[in-house]
Amino acid sequence: MTAPVGVVPVEASPPGVHPGPPRPAPSLRSRLTGRSARRGWANLLLVLGVTLVALSQLHPSLLLANTTTAGGDTGAHVILPAFMRSHLLTHGQLTGWDPGWYDGFPVYTFYFPLPGLITVVFNSVLSYDVAFKLVTVLGTLLLPTCAWAFGRLARLRDPAPACLAAATLPFLFEPSFSIYGGNLLSTLAGEFSFSLSLSFALLFLGLVASGLRTGRHRALAAVLFAVTLLCHLIPALFALVGAGVWLLLDADTARGIRRGVRGRLARRRWSRRLAWSVVAGAVGIGLTAWWLVPFALGQAYTTDMGYTKVLGFPHLLFPASARWVLAADLVGVVAMVYRRNRVALFLVIMGGISAAVVCLDPTPKLYNVRFLPLWFLCAYLLAGYALSEVVVAVATWNRRRRLDQWVQVIRERLSLVQSRPWRPGDRVSRFRRPTPDSNPPGSVVGPMIALAAACLVVVPPLALPAPTLSHIGITVGANQPSAWANWNYSGYERKPDYPEYRAVIQMMAKVGTDQGCGRSMWEYDPSLNRFGTTMALMLLPYWTNGCVDSMEGLLFESASSTPFHFINQNELSITPSDAVVGLPYGGLNVPLGIEHLQQLGVRYLLASSATVEQAAAADPNVTQVASTGPWSTSYNGQTLATTWKVYKIKDSSLVQPLANQPVVWKGVSPGQTSWLAPAVSWYDAPGRWSVVPAADGPSAWARVPVGDLQPAARSEPTTTVSSVSQTDNAISFHVDRIGTPIEVKVSYFPNWQASGANGPWRVAPNLMVVVPTSHDVILHYASSGADRLGELITLLAVVAVVALVIVDRRARRAGWIHIPSATR
């Protein structure tokens, strides 16, 4: 009887002969200590070694210290997960309204919520300060493991996956950029969401490579892409493009053009893989729709910071610190062509796409240099692949050398025993042929990887001599990751000027208690970095439990009021930051700045320079209510003597009736792009403030061209506003007369809804106006149509994930999914 094709028949035992007992399964000890386990231990040692080197530069003892993280943007990010924990989650939300910055803004609507949620989860078992610190380093510590998993899932043979993990170490210490994302300097500067997303993107791309080959992991790939996107947009775009590149590089794609049976089978395989990609991608995007739909549809209400494309591409793409990487990449390209390796080709293509985006900058809102880390990551991973080929070549040469030595020894033995030259097929005896010592192909790879890992642990990159580092473009100094990590994770509390910072915070908290809670405008100065970051005072809402808000906040693009704040900052600071490019900054003008604060409902001005304090003291619209100092300190070699003074601003209520009826600008859409220029022009012209322009309103309001400088004023009856109350997502007040327009000095956003009034409508500069229809009015931040649409899509995507898990499990049990053997 003939066995089916591809099935090896089992020979029956001769009569009277019983088969021996089955071999016992190897013990756990033998599996962990045997020769076959060496590669696994070597991989583990290398990945763990690289991770420990990165961790050693981040000061683990400081990561576990209960100090508030400082440094760069990170020092202001501290407040966001805390607000999510104490406000958003209590309302059953992950995005919502935060009144703490910029007259209020939609928090996490235009930024990435998952790192904040992970912080809250960690905070359930750890202190908040430690939980936040661990999340800021999580992406860095996961990157070597994710790079190894990418190589393993993409079917690279040892030692290539471990070499990819090793290549992430110099990428993390890449010194040519410090804010764009991915490397340690960028992570410490505040781009930890980017780093976390980048690690997940690598893992996702490995899963796509495996899924296209096996037909498995659709649900997991969808979830992983959603996680990547909810951490940061740019690595998610990298992952999305990479999934398309994997699909095009599929080895069987080219066979689809053939005719006949083989062509039909190839096209069928291609269609299945295309369907796998479409289903996984659609479900992954659907899982993020609750956030992605409002993010996309609300872009009209974000602020464009006006950053221009960074030029000098050779300097950006080929810095001195990366010359050795480019040399290694040449080796990798040669090996790729010789080996016909698809993974290396994938890295080359993705690196080229990333470099092209940096050079061409196809979209103005995505700053071109934000894609620079993706270029460097591909370059370093390709160098890791080149390293693996070198290791394999050395191991192969060593094995052949040992085999040649063995052959020579056997020939000499046979010559002595049989007195004749050795010939192929000769035996040492009648019973067996000579065999070499156990030496499987590449057996020296494991020890070589272990040695490399030991070297990485013992000699981390920053422990090299300074002259050695200078040859590859790295300058040892205060801008190195270890120094930055020490500055960040020692916290605000361990800075030399912390007593001054604490005194300012305590003063503002007492002012809020004595004079009433409200918003504060603080004078900007670069020397504020002595507190831990120039953004230290953005944490006023954090330290005062939401009583005293800060007009300046971190997420510049998320608020439509951002440009108007920086105009005020320019008027009220000696050395302003002028963060929004292209605004008509007029320079120091304290009286006009105070009038602008009255317009925005700001209650307090916190000044630190003698010039601003003298001008404020002479202004009848403010009254000094507190001070602290003088404080003497040294900053950048200069001795500073600072006295902080707080001024309460008169006639700066949160809700007030308008004396004149607003007018509606014709031809101005509600979005920020068409609104900003005319609103800034009106904001800078005090003579036009008697009539407030609106983006829309009742039909009774006059419609005027945007260029109308002096619209006719129509007076409104006098109305008294009382019982004003504000929470994190609502404002209520009482009016003694209905029908009179009431200005609410909170940033406009379409999610605001009014009860007991018509509106709200957007009015200049970026506030709200309502027309009461009852004496008690409530404005609350509610879900919009975009929110509800996104939530519905996400619900359907969750159902799809469950369905995919069930279908894939049944397919595996029924044997429908074919899993081919691993090949290089």
Side-chain angles (χ1 to χ4, degrees):
M1 182 176 179
T2 305
V5 177
V7 177
V8 179
V10 179
E11 296 183 1
S13 300
V17 178
H18 299 283
R23 293 183 178 181
S27 65
L28 177 62
R29 179 178 179 181
S30 63
R31 288 199 300 266
L32 294 178
T33 60
R35 184 181 295 272
S36 60
R38 291 183 181 178
R39 289 188 181 184
W41 283 111
N43 278 270
L44 176 63
L45 182 59
L46 183 57
V47 174
L48 185 60
V50 172
T51 305
L52 290 177
V53 169
L55 179 61
S56 69
Q57 302 301 305
L58 296 172
H59 301 279
S61 62
L62 293 179
L63 290 175
L64 299 177
N66 278 316
T67 55
T68 307
T69 307
D73 291 354
T74 311
H77 270 290
V78 171
I79 194 175
L80 296 175
F83 186 84
M84 174 185 283
R85 176 196 61 193
S86 59
H87 293 82
L88 297 181
L89 292 178
T90 59
H91 297 306
Q93 300 172 329
L94 291 175
T95 64
W97 189 256
D98 184 355
W101 290 341
Y102 299 118
D103 274 356
F105 74 107
V107 65
Y108 285 124
T109 299
F110 301 113
Y111 200 69
F112 313 103
L114 189 56
L117 182 60
I118 296 174
T119 303
V120 174
V121 173
F122 284 8
N123 184 213
S124 63
V125 294
L126 300 168
S127 69
Y128 179 77
D129 291 329
V130 174
F132 179 80
K133 290 177 181 179
L134 293 181
V135 171
T136 63
V137 302
L138 185 59
T140 295
L141 300 182
L142 285 178
L143 187 61
T145 301
C146 291
W148 174 86
F150 166 78
R152 180 67 65 184
L153 291 169
R155 283 201 307 179
L156 282 177
R157 292 190 303 185
D158 284 332
C163 289
L164 294 187
T168 62
L169 186 62
F171 168 75
L172 290 173
F173 287 94
E174 170 58 42
S176 63
F177 60 93
S178 61
I179 191 62
Y180 306 138
N183 63 346
L184 272 172
L185 293 178
S186 298
T187 300
L188 294 169
E191 289 296 334
F192 56 89
S193 293
F194 188 108
S195 300
L196 189 57
S197 179
L198 191 61
S199 296
F200 288 134
L202 266 184
L203 187 58
F204 167 77
L205 290 173
L207 203 62
V208 169
S210 175
L212 291 177
R213 186 176 69 252
T214 64
R216 298 171 55 188
H217 309 310
R218 287 181 298 177
L220 183 57
V223 171
L224 198 54
F225 179 76
V227 168
T228 303
L229 180 55
L230 291 174
C231 286
H232 206 284
L233 175 63
I234 292 176
L237 293 176
F238 178 77
L240 190 63
V241 173
V245 171
W246 268 136
L247 186 64
L248 296 177
L249 286 180
D250 189 87
D252 291 337
T253 302
R255 299 180 186 177
I257 63 175
R258 296 183 180 182
R259 298 179 180 179
V261 176
R262 295 186 65 183
R264 288 195 298 271
L265 292 176
R267 285 190 290 272
R268 184 179 300 173
R269 284 192 294 269
W270 165 253
S271 63
R272 289 177 178 175
R273 288 165 180 170
L274 179 62
W276 187 98
S277 302
V278 171
V279 170
V283 174
I285 293 175
L287 289 173
T288 68
W290 64 272
W291 174 83
L292 187 60
V293 172
F295 172 86
L297 298 183
Q299 284 296 306
Y301 295 96
T302 60
T303 292
D304 186 352
M305 299 300 290
Y307 299 147
T308 57
K309 181 169 66 174
V310 177
L311 303 177
F313 303 122
H315 174 70
L316 288 173
L317 299 176
F318 311 108
S321 60
R323 290 172 184 168
W324 69 271
V325 182
L326 300 177
D329 287 345
L330 292 177
V331 176
V333 170
V334 173
M336 174 196 72
V337 175
Y338 179 75
R339 298 283 189 183
R340 297 183 180 180
N341 190 286
R342 289 196 310 138
V343 179
L345 179 59
F346 172 82
L347 295 174
V348 170
I349 293 175
M350 293 303 296
I353 293 174
S354 302
V357 174
V358 173
C359 297
L360 301 177
D361 191 23
T363 173
K365 248 192 172 181
L366 290 177
Y367 196 29
N368 68 318
V369 287
R370 297 305 305 274
F371 294 88
L372 189 63
L374 307 178
W375 151 259
F376 277 104
L377 179 65
C378 293
Y380 278 104
L381 291 180
L382 186 60
Y385 166 75
L387 174 62
S388 71
E389 291 295 343
V390 171
V391 170
V392 168
V394 171
T396 303
W397 169 82
N398 184 61
R399 179 176 178 272
R400 289 177 178 173
R401 180 184 60 82
R402 293 177 59 190
L403 187 60
D404 290 342
Q405 292 175 351
W406 171 82
V407 170
Q408 184 64 31
V409 170
I410 294 301
R411 287 181 177 181
E412 292 176 356
R413 289 182 182 177
L414 290 175
S415 299
L416 291 175
V417 173
Q418 301 181 2
S419 301
R420 62 184 178 82
W422 176 85
R423 292 177 305 205
D426 283 352
R427 301 172 184 268
V428 175
S429 70
R430 317 184 316 164
F431 304 103
R432 66 182 182 88
R433 185 173 294 162
T435 58
D437 294 335
S438 178
N439 186 28
S443 62
V444 297
V445 173
M448 292 185 67
I449 295 178
L451 179 61
C455 292
L456 287 172
V457 175
V458 175
V459 189
L462 295 188
L464 294 175
T468 303
L469 292 174
S470 64
H471 286 310
I472 60 173
I474 299 177
T475 302
V476 177
N479 66 336
Q480 294 303 298
S482 180
W484 278 31
N486 180 71
W487 177 263
N488 281 21
Y489 299 127
S490 60
Y492 288 98
E493 293 86 351
R494 298 187 185 180
K495 299 295 177 287
D497 291 297
Y498 178 67
E500 179 183 354
Y501 180 61
R502 181 177 58 185
V504 173
I505 297 298
Q506 291 175 343
M507 174 182 66
M508 294 303 298
K510 188 174 186 304
V511 166
T513 301
D514 296 343
Q515 303 290 329
C517 297
R519 300 165 184 156
S520 64
M521 174 75 195
W522 43 273
E523 182 181 355
Y524 178 86
D525 190 273
S527 68
L528 293 177
N529 193 57
R530 68 187 187 274
F531 295 149
T533 171
T534 55
M535 302 179 179
L537 291 175
M538 291 182 186
L539 296 188
L540 278 170
Y542 180 74
W543 299 122
T544 63
N545 197 27
C547 179
V548 179
D549 296 328
S550 166
M551 280 302 293
E552 184 164 341
L554 174 62
L555 306 180
F556 298 157
E557 293 90 344
S558 295
S560 298
S561 299
T562 302
F564 307 101
H565 161 73
F566 282 103
I567 289 175
N568 299 348
Q569 186 205 79
N570 179 268
E571 295 166 345
L572 296 168
S573 304
I574 301 295
T575 53
S577 63
D578 297 344
V580 181
V581 177
L583 294 179
Y585 295 116
L588 186 68
N589 190 336
V590 175
L592 180 59
I594 291 173
E595 291 184 62
H596 279 153
L597 297 185
Q598 290 175 318
Q599 279 193 327
L600 295 180
V602 180
R603 193 178 186 89
Y604 301 109
L605 170 63
L606 176 60
S608 58
S609 69
T611 302
V612 174
E613 290 170 352
Q614 290 172 4
D619 195 299
N621 290 317
V622 299
T623 303
Q624 182 179 331
V625 293
S627 67
T628 181
W631 295 90
S632 180
T633 187
S634 177
Y635 181 76
N636 283 348
Q638 297 182 349
T639 300
L640 302 178
T642 307
T643 298
W644 295 85
K645 296 182 179 181
V646 185
Y647 300 90
K648 185 176 180 180
I649 301 171
K650 300 176 182 179
D651 301 325
S652 184
S653 57
L654 180 65
V655 180
Q656 71 176 28
L658 294 177
N660 295 312
Q661 188 180 92
V663 296
V664 178
W665 275 336
K666 293 191 297 186
V668 175
S669 64
Q672 183 79 338
T673 302
S674 63
W675 174 265
L676 181 60
V680 168
S681 178
W682 177 89
Y683 193 62
D684 282 339
R688 302 171 60 186
W689 292 352
S690 60
V691 178
V692 178
D696 200 359
S699 58
W701 292 0
R703 266 61 179 172
V704 300
V706 176
D708 190 344
L709 301 181
Q710 295 294 337
R714 300 179 182 178
S715 61
E716 290 283 353
T718 302
T719 304
T720 301
V721 177
S722 60
S723 303
V724 178
S725 176
Q726 183 181 21
T727 64
D728 57 354
N729 65 350
I731 302 161
S732 62
F733 55 91
H734 178 84
V735 295
D736 64 354
R737 185 184 184 281
I738 63 175
T740 299
I742 305 295
E743 185 177 46
V744 181
K745 297 180 180 179
V746 173
S747 291
Y748 174 80
F749 197 71
N751 286 55
W752 281 102
Q753 298 178 7
S755 300
N758 294 324
W761 296 283
R762 189 183 197 181
V763 294
N766 185 58
L767 305 176
M768 296 187 288
V769 66
V770 296
V771 177
T773 57
S774 69
H775 293 285
D776 293 306
V777 179
I778 299 176
L779 276 75
H780 63 281
Y781 190 84
S783 296
S784 65
D787 295 319
R788 291 188 290 272
L789 174 62
E791 290 167 0
L792 176 61
I793 295 174
T794 295
L795 179 61
L796 296 176
V798 171
V799 174
V801 168
V802 175
L804 287 176
V805 171
I806 296 174
V807 169
D808 288 351
R809 181 173 297 178
R810 290 181 176 178
R812 289 183 61 190
R813 289 177 178 176
W816 300 339
I817 299 179
H818 172 61
I819 306 175
S821 59
T823 58
R824 187 174 181 85

